[in-house]
């Protein structure tokens, strides 16, 4: 693979070549258009061969069979099981749907506040916003940051007598979340509300939540083999279920399950997650691009880049192999992004004109959902969609302006368009499962463990040591001086 000569034509030529349509992949109403990628059938075949050489098929099989593919934690990876019809028959799931239905029917509950961070926040927050058109339950808020302003500003919108807190923490040891739980309890007590009645917990470690005083009947658990950033399908999605109802939540799971089936069974040559995962590897490891952009042209999906950022960077931001040896080349790229078209008026200048080239995914639903049935509103969504394709074309094609270099667009900048009919719960579930599998495929080819996150531990330990001031010996004079400036 390292031998591939990339004497590729400029994208402005490539996109017009006969048979280019073969680089457009379809699954149900989802279309992944790779025609504006630095890709030919020959390169694609070589990437597919790379996947075969690495035995990607066996790895996928092992994941779905529940083998312990998370080597550093000696665990299976079981989030896909949460999307199966079998799981929806389980007592665990029934307990969730019953509780969500009770909350939705309870006229005394007007606000839900999810206290959680990272995977216990980003996924559900992004999906709740993404499915705003289907939101018919109480208002749902998310507080992740330990910055007290985050909680303060949300509580200012809530009535303590009609607010339910969901403490969402896989480990139930995350200090930021537990600090916010303490503040929320204080707020309830100061307003004459017993915290126990206003709090439920979601965790993989029930006993720890019980130790925090949560009634076991109000603890919703999930398997520790479900990674935090892959967990929105589990009880971590309780806030989403309360927002949209369990029927719509089932659709989210069904869409994800459809993508799981496609990933597990489609031949690699038409397997969308495999192809998109291999493209990540192509850009990073062979074309040397260290960043990758994700641009949803969908205001309700404005938090999708943040979710994908944790998903890909916590999974593949590694420097050792699955077997603990140093990597001989970098793995996952920097992932970043922003909603379109706002991003066009912010950093697209850089994408079009910078010396660096960064590939992007452009994500768009072809039709709006729950808009006024009015020609002007429908046309406005079309304007959005046209902007998306215009950017893809401009990045690829560019324009020659020899006489005015500042107006010269070099083009040849890759983008990939992912489009689907409309952002329904089913379509969103399918899209998110796709991005999970892209992460898993690329991580496997880079030979990293996409399911652990040891890299965040040191910072946590240092924050703990600084807070307890138990042993400041190893800290820099600057850190000690800052602590002094903070005061007691
Ligand atoms: O940032 C590290 C991390 O462990 C993430 O992987 C996780 O999503 C987040 O913290 C929150 O963890 P928990 O759900 O256990 O509170």
């Amino acid at each position: 693979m390292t031998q591939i000569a990339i004497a590729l034509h400029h994208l402005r030529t490539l996109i017009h070549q006969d048979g280019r349509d073969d680089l457009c992949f379809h699954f149900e109403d989802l279309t992944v258009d790779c025609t504006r990628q630095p890709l030919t059938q020959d390169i694609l075949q070589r990437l597919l061969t790379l996947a075969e050489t690495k035995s990607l098929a066996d790895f996928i099989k092992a994941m779905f069979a529940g083998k312990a593919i998370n080597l550093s934690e000696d665990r299976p990876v079981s989030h896909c099981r949460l999307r199966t019809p079998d799981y929806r028959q389980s007592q665990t799931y029934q307990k969730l749907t019953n509780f969500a239905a009770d909350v939705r029917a309870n006229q005394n509950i007007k606000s839900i506040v999810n206290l959680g961070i990272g995977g216990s926040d980003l996924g559900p927050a992004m999906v709740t916003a993404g499915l705003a058109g289907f939101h018919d339950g109480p208002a749902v808020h998310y507080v992740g940051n330990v910055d007290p302003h985050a909680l303060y500003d949300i509580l200012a919108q809530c009535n303590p007598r009609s607010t339910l807190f969901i403490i969402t923490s896989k480990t139930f040891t995350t200090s930021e979340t537990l600090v916010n739980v303490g503040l929320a309890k204080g707020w309830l007590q100061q307003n004459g509300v017993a915290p126990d009645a206003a709090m439920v917990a979601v965790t993989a470690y029930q006993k720890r939540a019980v130790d925090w005083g949560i009634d076991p009947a109000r603890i919703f658990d999930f398997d520790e083999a479900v990674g935090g950033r892959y967990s929105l399908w589990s009880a971590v999605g309780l806030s989403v279920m309360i927002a949209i109802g369990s029927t719509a939540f089932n659709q989210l799971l069904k869409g994800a399950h459809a993508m799981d089936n496609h990933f597990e069974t489609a031949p690699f040559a038409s397997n969308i997650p495999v192809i998109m995962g291999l493209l990540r590897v192509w850009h990073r490891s062979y074309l040397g691009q260290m960043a990758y952009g994700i641009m949803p042209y969908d205001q309700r999906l404005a938090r999708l880049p943040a979710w994908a950022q944790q998903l890909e960077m916590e999974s593949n931001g590694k420097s050792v192999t699955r077997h603990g040896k140093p990597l001989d080349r970098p793995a996952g790229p920097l992932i970043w992004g922003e909603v379109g078209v706002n991003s066009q008026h912010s950093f697209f200048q850089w994408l079009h004109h910078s010396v660096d080239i960064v590939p992007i995914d452009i994500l768009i639903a072809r039709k709006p959902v729950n808009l006024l049935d009015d020609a002007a509103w429908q046309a406005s969504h079309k304007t959005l969609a046209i902007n998306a394709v215009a950017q893809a074309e401009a990045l690829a094609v560019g324009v020659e302006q020899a006489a005015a270099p500042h107006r010269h667009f070099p083009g040849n900048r890759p983008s990939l368009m992912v489009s689907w009919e409309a952002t329904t719960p089913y379509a969103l579930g399918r899209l998110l499962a796709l991005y999970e599998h892209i992460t898993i495929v690329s991580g496997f080819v880079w030979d990293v463990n996409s399911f652990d996150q040891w890299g965040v531990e040191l910072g946590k330990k240092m924050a703990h040591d600084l807070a307890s001031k138990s042993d400041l010996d190893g800290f820099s004079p600057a850190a000690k001086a800052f602590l002094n400036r903070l005061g007691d």
Side-chain angles (χ1 to χ4, degrees):
M1 192 65 197
T2 43
Q3 308 305 322
I4 289 184
I6 28 174
L8 278 167
H9 291 292
H10 193 289
L11 279 173
R12 76 169 68 105
T13 310
L14 276 182
I15 56 173
H16 292 292
Q17 281 184 347
D18 285 346
R20 197 72 186 158
D21 266 10
D22 293 350
L23 293 177
C24 232
F25 302 91
H26 306 275
F27 173 60
E28 300 176 343
D29 58 285
L30 182 81
T31 295
V32 172
D33 180 350
C34 303
T35 59
R36 299 182 194 86
Q37 287 287 300
L39 194 62
T40 60
Q41 282 297 343
D42 178 46
I43 293 170
L44 180 58
Q45 287 315 315
R46 289 172 192 241
L47 288 168
L48 294 172
T49 305
L50 172 70
E52 273 164 31
T53 315
K54 299 251 177 191
S55 303
L56 174 64
D58 292 344
F59 185 72
I60 295 172
K61 218 177 275 167
M63 180 174 88
F64 282 106
K67 299 271 163 54
I69 58 170
N70 174 353
L71 298 183
S72 72
E73 295 174 314
D74 192 23
R75 280 178 194 159
V77 167
S78 63
H79 59 277
C80 295
R81 203 183 64 77
L82 303 169
R83 285 115 61 143
T84 60
D86 277 359
Y87 170 69
R88 289 198 292 283
Q89 302 306 320
S90 68
Q91 280 186 357
T92 311
Y93 192 68
Q94 296 301 324
K95 182 176 169 183
L96 271 180
T97 55
N98 290 342
F99 182 75
D102 287 350
V103 171
R104 285 164 59 82
N106 187 339
Q107 293 305 313
N108 295 323
I109 299 180
K110 306 278 187 224
S111 317
I112 307 293
V113 179
N114 185 81
L115 302 175
I117 196 164
S120 295
D121 168 59
L122 289 165
M126 175 266 293
V127 172
T128 300
L131 297 177
F134 300 83
H135 191 149
D136 54 5
V140 178
H141 306 279
Y142 293 88
V143 178
N145 204 336
V146 73
D147 177 346
H149 299 97
L151 184 61
Y152 184 86
D153 291 350
I154 293 299
L155 295 186
Q157 302 170 46
C158 300
N159 178 339
R161 301 198 170 274
S162 58
T163 300
L164 175 75
F165 289 89
I166 304 178
I167 310 166
T168 305
S169 176
K170 176 181 169 180
T171 57
F172 232 79
T173 58
T174 303
S175 63
E176 297 91 324
T177 298
L178 297 176
V179 165
N180 279 334
V181 173
L183 293 180
K185 277 188 173 178
W187 179 74
L188 289 167
Q189 281 160 342
Q190 282 151 21
N191 288 285
V193 177
D196 291 358
M199 289 190 161
V200 302
V202 169
T203 181
Y205 297 90
Q206 284 200 65
K207 163 126 189 4
R208 295 179 192 163
V210 173
D211 292 347
W212 263 79
I214 310 289
D215 174 359
R218 288 156 71 88
I219 299 174
F220 302 91
D221 69 330
F222 62 102
D223 187 350
E224 66 170 7
V226 175
R229 54 198 174 273
Y230 300 93
S231 67
L232 79 93
W233 322 98
S234 70
V236 168
L238 177 59
S239 51
V240 179
M241 199 186 269
I242 293 172
I244 64 174
S246 59
T247 306
F249 194 85
N250 287 350
Q251 288 298 317
L252 184 83
L253 298 182
K254 284 181 184 171
H257 184 58
M259 181 53 73
D260 292 342
N261 279 339
H262 168 75
F263 180 47
E264 195 180 0
T265 59
F268 281 2
S270 58
N271 191 315
I272 292 174
V274 168
I275 291 166
M276 287 181 73
L278 290 171
L279 282 170
R280 286 282 196 287
V281 176
W282 177 228
H283 287 293
R284 180 75 182 106
S285 304
Y286 297 96
L287 302 179
Q289 288 144 357
M290 67 86 68
Y292 199 97
I294 296 189
M295 313 298 157
Y297 275 66
D298 185 326
Q299 186 60 42
R300 289 170 172 164
L301 293 183
R303 293 295 286 158
L304 190 138
W307 169 81
Q309 198 169 50
Q310 186 203 12
L311 175 66
E312 294 203 40
M313 295 180 74
E314 198 163 76
S315 299
N316 294 337
K318 310 275 162 74
S319 56
V320 291
T321 69
R322 297 172 72 224
H323 295 93
K325 301 270 185 302
L327 286 180
D328 59 6
R329 62 171 79 179
L334 163 77
I335 299 287
W336 109 116
E338 179 57 271
V339 72
V341 299
N342 301 26
S343 49
Q344 288 174 207
H345 296 272
S346 165
F347 52 75
F348 268 50
Q349 159 67 35
W350 188 95
L351 288 176
H352 286 286
H353 263 175
S354 165
V355 174
D356 294 302
I357 293 183
V358 169
I360 62 169
D361 287 353
I362 293 176
L363 278 53
I364 180 138
R366 295 183 293 271
K367 296 273 181 291
V369 286
N370 302 7
L371 263 193
L372 291 182
D373 189 15
D374 171 284
W377 285 73
Q378 301 294 322
S380 185
H381 184 269
K382 198 157 193 181
T383 305
L384 172 77
I386 286 171
N387 263 280
V389 73
Q391 289 300 320
E393 288 287 296
L395 286 163
V397 174
V399 68
E400 296 287 346
Q401 290 274 10
H406 58 287
R407 288 176 186 273
H408 172 76
F409 286 76
N412 209 23
R413 287 156 196 247
S415 68
L416 184 150
M417 274 193 90
V418 182
S419 71
W420 58 94
E421 187 64 10
T423 309
T424 59
Y426 181 94
L428 184 57
R430 189 180 57 192
L431 180 74
L432 302 180
L434 167 61
Y435 275 83
E436 288 179 349
H437 297 325
I438 292 168
T439 303
I440 291 168
V441 167
S442 52
F444 173 74
V445 177
W446 284 314
D447 193 21
V448 297
N449 183 353
S450 302
F451 310 106
D452 63 12
Q453 61 283 322
W454 297 102
V456 293
E457 294 304 320
L458 179 60
K460 285 186 193 171
K461 181 183 176 313
M462 285 202 175
H464 176 267
D465 291 351
L466 284 169
S468 61
K469 292 190 180 170
S470 52
D471 179 10
L472 294 184
D473 279 355
F475 285 97
S476 69
K480 289 177 197 163
F482 182 74
L483 277 190
N484 281 337
R485 279 196 287 277
L486 275 182
D488 287 329

